[in-house]
């Protein structure tokens, strides 16, 4: 509504109107997530309802941070609503992922405590593999490894921190900027490594947090897996889209280099088939990467909640 009113002559500047629309959309998403969690979870006690509500609010807050980090770079490129710069545009989604992981960490550290005067503790040996989804966890590690490979490859191909060139004469080279050289990939690698370590730390918090009282062990493990799944889906989503974005950007730059059309001020050297083919291949690889990342992020989990029940049945005690 804010952008529409701006287009109709509203005195509000475009960044403010866009921010109002994003805030409204974020509120709708948060309310929908909390409502959806409350309907899908099988809860019979107040402790279980508190746990589901706490997990839903934490996930909603983390999701909004990730959404903002993913939406701001395209908004900057298309509308020019902020001055991010090259490194800021590349790193912002990963910084948002760190913020979302911090929200999850705070949610785990502030997990609802038992309220009964008489408390029972269940001792269970859990590992991160028990709560974290194997596929998305492996994808997060794979995207980080491929980021390292892409960064090294692009750094070797680049002719400068953010440029790529091809030789067109005995003493002349044709240069295209920008290109994801070390100026882009260096900060991306550092923040991506920190985000991957942070996601593993959050998974360990999910594994070791206090159990929900008045429910069975199966239901408690289901809720842990549900939270861990959201952490890993967000992690692989941002890491994968960052990788896909860098590969696509390198492909576009190589296509520009291969086409050799010039920059308006001077004529280019003409087309070069090698760079054009390399650019097309990278664009196709980037499209496949983004498709895999999006499918992995929305693939439904076949993990229905078991019926919540008391972990210990009351027993008669002989006098």
């Amino acid at each position: 509504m804010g952008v529409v009113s701006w287009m109709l002559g509203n005195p509000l500047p475009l960044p403010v109107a866009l921010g109002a629309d994003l805030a409204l959309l974020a509120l709708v998403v948060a309310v929908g997530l909390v409502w959806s969690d409350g309907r899908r979870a099988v809860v019979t006690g107040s402790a279980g309802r508190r746990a589901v509500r706490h997990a839903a609010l934490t996930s909603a807050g983390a999701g909004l941070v990730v959404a903002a980090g993913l939406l701001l770079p395209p908004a900057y490129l298309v509308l020019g609503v902020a001055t991010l710069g090259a490194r800021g545009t590349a790193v912002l989604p990963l910084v948002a992922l760190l913020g979302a992981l911090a929200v999850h960490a705070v949610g785990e550290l502030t997990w609802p405590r038992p309220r009964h005067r008489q408390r029972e503790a269940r001792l269970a040996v859990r590992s991160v593999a028990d709560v974290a989804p194997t596929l998305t966890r492996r994808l997060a590690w794979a995207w980080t490894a491929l980021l390292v490979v892409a960064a090294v490859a692009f750094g070797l191909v680049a002719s400068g921190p953010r440029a790529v060139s091809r030789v067109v004469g005995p003493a002349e080279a044709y240069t295209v900027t920008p290109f994801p050289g070390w100026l882009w990939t260096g900060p991306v690698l550092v923040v991506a490594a920190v985000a991957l370590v942070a996601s593993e730390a959050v998974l360990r918090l999910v594994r070791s947090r206090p159990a929900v009282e008045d429910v069975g062990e199966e239901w408690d493990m289901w809720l842990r897996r549900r939270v861990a799944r959201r952490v890993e889906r967000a992690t692989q989503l941002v890491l994968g889209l960052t990788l896909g974005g860098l590969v696509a950007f390198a492909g576009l730059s190589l296509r520009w280099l291969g086409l050799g059309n010039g920059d308006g001020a001077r004529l280019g050297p003409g087309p070069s088939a090698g760079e054009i083919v390399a650019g097309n291949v990278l664009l196709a690889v980037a499209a496949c990467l983004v498709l895999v990342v999006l499918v992995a992020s929305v693939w439904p989990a076949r993990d229905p909640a078991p019926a919540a029940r008391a972990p210990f049945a009351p027993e008669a005690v002989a006098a």
Side-chain angles (χ1 to χ4, degrees), residues 10 16 37 59 61 71 80 89 96 101 131-132 151 165 168 192 201 251 254 261 274 278-279 291 300:
N10 192 292
V16 176
D37 264 3
S59 298
L71 291 176
T89 302
L101 293 173
V131 299
S165 304
V168 296
L254 287 178
N261 293 329
L291 179 62

Side-chain angles (χ1 to χ4, degrees), residues 3 10 12 67 86 109 211 213 251 267 285-286 297 314 317:
V3 173
N10 192 292
L12 288 177
L109 294 174
E213 61 179 348
L267 295 176
V285 170
S297 299
V317 180

Side-chain angles (χ1 to χ4, degrees), residues 5-17:
S5 61
W6 174 82
M7 295 174 64
L8 294 176
N10 192 292
L12 288 177
L14 177 59
V16 176

Side-chain angles (χ1 to χ4, degrees), residues 68-236:
L70 293 176
L71 291 176
L72 280 179
Y76 159 67
L77 293 175
V78 175
L79 302 174
V81 298
T83 303
L84 298 177
R87 283 173 291 186
T89 302
V91 172
L92 181 60
L94 292 170
V95 173
L97 174 61
L98 286 175
L101 293 173
V103 172
H104 276 292
V106 171
E108 295 303 312
L109 294 174
T110 58
W111 195 258
R113 301 297 176 181
R115 296 185 176 182
H116 295 167
R117 292 183 178 181
Q118 182 179 358
R119 300 176 182 176
E120 296 172 331
R122 297 195 300 271
L123 301 179
V125 179
R126 309 182 190 90
S127 65
V128 174
D130 293 329
V131 299
T134 303
L135 176 60
T136 48
R137 192 181 180 201
R138 289 178 179 176
L139 282 177
W141 283 91
W143 301 147
T144 305
L146 290 176
L147 270 174
V148 175
V149 174
V152 173
F154 296 156
L156 294 175
V157 170
S159 57
R162 57 190 301 270
V164 64
S165 304
R166 67 181 172 99
V167 177
V168 296
E172 186 180 359
Y174 177 64
T175 301
V176 168
T177 58
F179 180 80
W182 292 114
L183 181 67
W184 288 63
T185 58
V188 166
L189 286 181
V190 173
V191 184
V194 174
L196 187 64
V197 173
S199 70
E200 291 293 320
V202 172
L203 291 179
R204 279 158 175 77
L205 289 176
V206 175
R207 176 202 64 184
S208 59
R209 64 164 168 75
V212 180
E213 61 179 348
D214 296 337
V215 299
E217 177 64 23
E218 292 182 359
W219 192 92
D220 182 74
M221 281 297 296
W222 168 81
L223 187 57
R224 292 177 196 271
R225 290 194 302 268
R226 187 176 179 84
V227 174
R229 184 162 52 245
R230 287 173 174 167
V231 171
E232 284 304 288
R233 284 188 174 185
T235 302
Q236 78 87 25

